[in-house]
Amino acid sequence: MHTDFMSLTSERAPLTLVPFSDAPRPALDLTIPPWPGEYVDTDGVRLHIRRTPGPAQDTAVFVHGLGGSSLNWTDLAAQLSGHASGVAIDLPGAGYTEPPKGYVFDLNTHADVTAGFIRGMGRPVHLFGNSMGGAVSMIVAAKYPELVRTLTLVSPAVPDLRPFPTRMSDPRIPFAMMPFVGPRFRRQLAALTPMQRAEQLVRLCFADPAMIPPHRMDETAAEFEARAKIAWAGQALMMTTLALFRAWLVPPSRSLWRIVPQITAPTLVVWGAQDKLVTVRKAPRTARLLPQGRLLVLPRTGHVAQIERPETVARAVLGMWEAVAAGRW
């Protein structure tokens, strides 16, 4: 199997060779519907997951970001389906996974739930995480190295302390979390239509919103509409958002940056050069701190490279898998 070595970096990124695979993949079909959903019980949590069929000997597990869900992996999972079966999870409080009573929405708790799910599979997996899911996946890989064969991080939510309101889909969100004025802003946000919310999210996360096919916008809007009818959804999102911000504000001794060097799994870091949510300037440091990390920075790409450029990300992932198998990573 032929492997080319390519490097796509920003000016601030270190020179990093990332193997790109020529392994066969399905033709990119953006019309495929979301993968079927089901529920599994994991350590007291009834997780909603979506399975992608593929070879049984290898499994990829996908963890979404803040405000996202298992829908975020539809196209990348399809691209990898000839090489691994896939499971995309909805973290507690996201998608269709109801958080148990008293659930703590911090990154460590999410990581423990994810690790429990992987442990139940009986073998280590190729772990993927985007944004907050990237931070969760880093914790899993550091705390439970026996569960992770390889790690792929797409714009992981490492600490980025630029002003928060400029990186939210709606500038009213911070005010909705405040006492006294919060209820008024929450009512205003609730009055947005599902499609308006979907459009806000895409403008924030994509470098070029026009790349999204209309039916994918419809799927996103439909999920917003469904979650608006779920009693626990709004509170869970707010609690998860606050927990992520708190994780960025802890003392250095407890920072996510201390977690990164503890990850021993071969790791591919993918970042969009036009990421508005977590600046690409964090990419070189992330890759340098990883003992087996390599960095791929994609031009004309935002915060969700696995959605914006699934073919390119799949080629890089398969290249990593091939290089690891051959002892060249």
Side-chain angles (χ1 to χ4, degrees):
M1 189 174 295
H2 177 65
T3 301
D4 291 326
F5 286 83
M6 302 176 63
S7 177
L8 292 175
T9 62
S10 71
E11 293 179 358
R12 295 177 178 270
L15 180 62
T16 306
L17 292 177
V18 175
F20 270 50
S21 174
D22 287 335
R25 303 177 316 282
L28 183 60
D29 179 7
L30 296 178
T31 68
I32 61 173
W35 299 102
E38 62 182 89
Y39 288 91
V40 296
D41 292 322
T42 300
D43 296 339
V45 179
R46 192 166 182 254
L47 278 180
H48 180 262
I49 65 172
R50 297 183 189 273
R51 293 190 187 273
T52 309
Q57 66 269 21
D58 287 312
T59 303
V61 171
F62 304 98
V63 188
H64 62 81
L66 178 66
S69 74
S70 53
L71 290 179
N72 299 157
W73 302 98
T74 301
D75 297 315
L76 180 61
Q79 287 286 289
L80 298 174
S81 62
H83 305 270
S85 59
V87 185
I89 69 175
D90 286 340
L91 291 170
Y96 296 103
T97 297
E98 181 174 359
K101 186 176 181 180
Y103 186 81
V104 179
F105 292 89
D106 63 22
L107 298 180
N108 283 292
T109 304
H110 284 322
D112 288 341
V113 170
T114 303
F117 173 73
I118 297 172
R119 191 175 294 110
M121 303 181 77
R123 63 180 183 275
V125 302
H126 300 290
L127 183 59
F128 292 70
N130 171 227
S131 192
M132 184 190 75
V136 169
S137 297
M138 288 194 302
I139 295 171
V140 172
K143 288 179 66 176
Y144 310 103
E146 72 281 2
L147 300 179
V148 181
R149 290 181 61 185
T150 68
L151 179 64
T152 300
L153 303 172
V154 181
S155 292
V158 294
D160 182 354
L161 299 179
R162 293 173 300 148
F164 294 137
T166 63
R167 291 180 286 152
M168 291 186 172
S169 59
D170 191 301
R172 292 171 290 188
I173 291 175
F175 299 100
M177 300 179 185
M178 295 179 178
F180 307 115
V181 299
R184 175 164 61 90
F185 284 98
R186 287 196 290 272
R187 287 192 297 271
Q188 292 177 7
L189 292 171
L192 293 172
T193 68
M195 184 56 74
Q196 286 174 326
R197 296 184 64 189
E199 290 168 349
Q200 285 182 332
L201 185 65
V202 167
R203 283 196 298 270
L204 180 67
C205 291
F206 277 64
D208 180 7
M211 291 175 62
I212 284 270
H215 66 278
R216 290 288 189 239
M217 290 296 299
D218 292 340
E219 291 168 4
T220 304
E223 186 173 46
F224 275 127
E225 184 174 14
R227 282 182 56 80
K229 300 173 183 176
I230 299 175
W232 46 262
Q235 181 71 10
L237 177 59
M238 182 173 70
M239 296 297 290
T240 304
T241 303
L242 291 173
L244 177 60
F245 290 167
R246 283 196 293 268
W248 286 358
L249 296 171
V250 297
S253 61
R254 293 165 48 206
S255 170
L256 283 169
W257 292 119
R258 294 294 182 96
I259 295 289
V260 183
Q262 300 173 33
I263 297 170
T264 57
T267 304
L268 172 65
V269 181
V270 181
W271 225 292
Q274 292 174 256
D275 193 331
K276 301 170 189 173
L277 283 161
V278 185
T279 175
V280 70
R281 293 182 180 182
K282 302 293 181 180
R285 181 182 182 186
T286 303
R288 283 197 303 265
L289 287 174
L290 286 159
Q292 294 197 71
R294 297 192 186 186
L295 173 62
L296 174 66
V297 176
L298 296 175
R300 302 178 302 280
T301 305
H303 189 61
V304 285
Q306 82 278 13
I307 304 176
E308 295 171 88
R309 305 198 182 277
E311 290 180 303
T312 303
V313 175
R315 287 188 64 207
V317 168
L318 292 175
M320 171 175 64
W321 292 356
E322 293 167 10
V324 170
R328 298 196 305 268
W329 188 263

